Each structure stands twice: as C-alpha cells, then as structure tokens.
Amino acid sequence: MPTYLPRPASWKTAVAGLAVVALAATGCSTKNTSDTGSGTAGDDASAGSTGGPVTLKDASSVKLALIPGGAHPYFQPWKATAELDKTEFKLGDVTFDETGEWDQSKQNNVVSSLAARGFNAFGIFGVSPTDINTTFEDLKSKGFAVGSLASCPAGDTNSADFCLSTDVEAAAYKAAKATIDAIGGEGTIVHLTGNNVDSNTQRRIAGVKKAVAETGGKVTELPVVTDIDKDLQTAQRSVADLLAAKGKDIKGIVTTAYNPAVAAADGVAGSKLPIKVVAIDDDAKILSGIKSGGVSATVAQNPVGQAYVGGWLLALLGSKQCTMKTPGVIVDSGSFVVTKDNVDTYDDERKAKTKELQTEFQSQLSCQ
C-alpha cells in the first residue's frame, strides 16, 4: 500500500484551475541560459525564439496511461487530470487504471495489457520500488515513453525517462518541524506512518528523526508506529491503542500516511487529550480540523501537478518531439505546509509550483 498518499480536498478545483491558468501547457522552451539568441532547431526547443513556449506539434499518436499501484484516494485527481491532458495536449487517447491491487505482478500485467492495446506513454506509480525499474526497462526497450510518478525507484537508479514525485524525506522533515513548533519546542512526539519495508517509509522516518535531532534533546521520539496505512480501520485501532497506552506522555503526533492522519485527528479529538496533531494530507476533515484548531498543521502534496506535468512531458517524449538530456532525472513535485494562516490560500502556492515544474523540466529537454 502507498505510505504517503493523501487526497487533496481541493483537487477538483485544482484540476479546473489548470485548465484556465497559463502553464505553457502546449509546448516547451528549452533555451539555455547561456544562449545568445543564435540557437538552432533540434538543439534549442525554442528554435531561436526569445524564450516563448514552443507548440506541441502533434501528439495525436500518443496514447497516455496513468497507472497507480492500486485504488487509493490520493490518485483520484489523476483520473480527472488525464482527461485534461487529453484535451489540452490533443492526445490520441488516455486511460487511468488502478486495478493493480498493490501487487507488482498484477500491475505488470495491467501495463502489458495496455501496451498491447496501443498505449505508448506510461505514467506509473510502481508498487515495488525495488522492482519497478525492471518494468520501466521493459517498456523503454519497446520504444515507449515512461515516467515514474508519485514515487521513485529505490536506490540510485531511475530507469524511467524521469521521476516526478514528492521528496518524501523533505516533506516528513517539514511535518516534524511543524509538530515541534506546535508543542513549543520540547516534549515527546510519535511518528505514525505506513509500510515499514517501503524505502519511502524509511526516508520519511529519516526526515522526522533529522528534525528531532536538531532540537538537541529537547524533543524525544517514541518508537515509530509503522504498517498502519492499509485502511482507516487499521489506523484507528492503532491510534486508539497508542492513546490508551501512552496518550498522557505524548505532546505531538506527526503522521506521514493518509489513513493514520485522519485516524489521529479523530482519535485525539475524541480523547480530549492536549496532543498536537500534524498531518500529511489535505483531506477535507484535516482542513476542517486546521480551521477549528483541532489539527495544528498538515503538509500537502501535488498529485494534480504530477499528472498534468507528467502528461505534458510524456506527450513531448511520446511524440518524439523531445528527448530527455539526462534520462532518469528526478524532480520534486513539491510539498506545502498548511496552517490556519494559509489554509484558504495554500492551493495558489501549489498551482505556482506546477508552473515552475514545467520551467524546470524545460531545461532538461532537447526538442526538435
């Protein structure tokens, strides 16, 4: 199961917003900052222009598949964004397939079936970070465009054309810092997260521990509670057990998985304990808790930006108009601290980040 995958309450607004804001959605400009205006077509995607966007020439041959590891609230914005990609980039077809059931073999079967049906550009959240590169390599060997979305492969190698994902260690660090601020800089906190064997979970654990270590002992951390993002009921039971056993000793809870975040917010509210909760999602219940003061903060991700910018890149790569200068490049799709001060406006920051992502990737492209 995914271990850091929230559902943004504002995702429908975010998808709609991308349809009307200027995102250079139909092209790219890869003019190097060292160019003097004498660039040539095929090397500089702006073809000697003054840096304006180049039009996506023809993506009608691109059939885009966005493939999560399985069903999860986080990925629902991908479905709507795929349709936006189809319209804005004039793609031949799009599909959103979440039937992998969190099993890498089953996800591979989904990928193979879609390839056999003519899909030739794939944005994939790999079920197994340690095995997904094999899937990427197989697709690349057949000439398909491949993006790793929302999670990068474990280790130092990404065999997809690119990875666009949250820097999970940085996001967990931000969440832990927000928790430490909320408890006044001292006391005991506990970290609730997902699948312990997932490399991304280990990165999140490292991010929280880094923030705790920076307090010089003023903040201590109870043993991390892992493997509780399977479903909301599992998370609720774990939170109830934790509060019953250690609730009076805990000043703050930092969560880096969707179901534990919702369960912690509910559990602390029901217990009436003076525990500060910091979440990793922007579920409607979490945002409501921030507004009422029951939740101190949360850290939102950018799933719409992943599917939109990922679709844009895959259209350029799948149509053979562009190639990656450095295949396998990894880019952080962004994470955003949300408090009562910015709960009504943080999505503007997320939309701005999505624009920036296109600019960042433009420098990574060589286009004809």
Side-chain angles (χ1 to χ4, degrees):
M1 293 294 292
T3 57
Y4 183 90
L5 297 174
R7 172 182 58 191
S10 57
W11 69 267
K12 291 183 179 179
T13 301
V15 173
L18 285 181
V20 297
V21 296
L23 288 176
T26 57
C28 67
S29 169
T30 62
K31 184 176 274 298
N32 190 287
T33 54
S34 64
D35 288 345
T36 60
S38 57
T40 58
D43 178 49
D44 176 0
S46 63
S49 75
T50 58
V54 131
T55 301
L56 179 61
K57 295 177 181 177
D58 181 5
S60 60
S61 64
V62 177
K63 295 185 177 182
L64 172 67
L66 297 183
I67 307 173
H72 194 282
Y74 177 84
F75 296 113
Q76 291 311 301
W78 284 20
K79 186 174 184 179
T81 309
E83 294 300 323
L84 178 62
D85 290 346
K86 181 178 182 179
T87 300
E88 291 211 4
F89 310 140
K90 297 179 173 59
L91 305 179
D93 199 2
V94 297
T95 191
F96 169 80
D97 195 312
E98 58 184 350
T99 62
E101 298 182 7
W102 301 109
D103 180 290
Q104 190 60 65
S105 294
K106 291 180 180 179
Q107 186 185 48
N108 288 344
N109 290 338
V110 169
V111 171
S112 296
S113 175
L114 290 172
R117 288 166 49 193
F119 286 89
N120 53 15
F122 296 85
I124 301 173
F125 176 97
V127 174
S128 172
T130 57
D131 299 318
I132 193 61
N133 269 333
T134 300
T135 304
F136 293 157
E137 289 161 6
D138 180 62
L139 290 169
K140 291 294 295 175
S141 72
K142 296 173 182 175
F144 298 142
V146 185
S148 185
L149 298 181
S151 178
C152 298
D156 299 324
T157 301
N158 170 35
S159 296
D161 289 303
F162 62 89
C163 179
L164 180 58
S165 175
T166 309
D167 183 333
V168 293
E169 183 171 339
Y173 174 79
K174 291 177 185 179
K177 291 285 285 185
T179 308
I180 291 166
D181 289 343
I183 66 172
E186 58 182 3
T188 299
I189 69 171
V190 62
H191 177 198
L192 312 183
T193 189
N195 190 347
N196 190 51
V197 301
D198 187 340
S199 59
N200 284 331
T201 297
Q202 294 304 312
R203 293 185 183 112
R204 296 175 186 115
I205 290 172
V208 172
K209 289 187 180 300
K210 177 184 176 182
V212 171
E214 290 176 351
T215 69
K218 292 181 180 180
V219 174
T220 57
E221 183 184 1
L222 292 176
V224 181
V225 181
T226 63
D227 300 308
I228 61 169
D229 194 34
K230 179 180 180 181
D231 51 50
L232 184 57
Q233 291 73 29
T234 298
Q236 288 172 329
R237 287 193 297 270
S238 296
V239 168
D241 291 344
L242 173 69
L243 294 178
K246 298 284 187 179
K248 293 181 180 178
D249 302 322
I250 298 170
K251 290 190 68 176
I253 296 177
V254 55
T255 61
T256 58
Y258 175 84
N259 289 306
V262 175
D266 285 345
V268 168
S271 72
K272 308 298 184 182
L273 290 167
I275 297 172
K276 303 296 185 181
V277 175
V278 172
I280 300 281
D281 67 74
D282 51 357
D283 178 85
K285 185 174 293 186
I286 296 298
L287 296 180
S288 177
I290 290 175
K291 291 177 181 179
S292 68
V295 176
S296 298
T298 193
V299 177
Q301 293 187 94
N302 191 11
V304 172
Q306 290 165 355
Y308 186 81
V309 177
W312 169 73
L313 279 169
L314 289 166
L316 289 167
L317 299 174
S319 65
K320 311 302 182 184
Q321 181 177 338
C322 300
T323 59
M324 301 300 300
K325 291 179 180 177
T326 306
V329 65
I330 295 172
V331 173
D332 179 12
S333 54
S335 54
F336 315 91
V337 178
V338 182
T339 66
K340 186 176 289 189
D341 291 339
N342 70 336
V343 67
D344 293 322
T345 60
Y346 75 93
D347 201 49
D348 294 337
E349 182 182 358
R350 184 158 52 186
K351 291 175 184 176
K353 177 63 177 179
T354 298
K355 294 181 185 180
E356 292 172 8
L357 289 172
Q358 287 189 295
T359 300
E360 185 170 355
F361 271 116
Q362 285 168 14
S363 66
Q364 300 287 342
L365 294 170
S366 293
C367 299
Q368 299 179 14

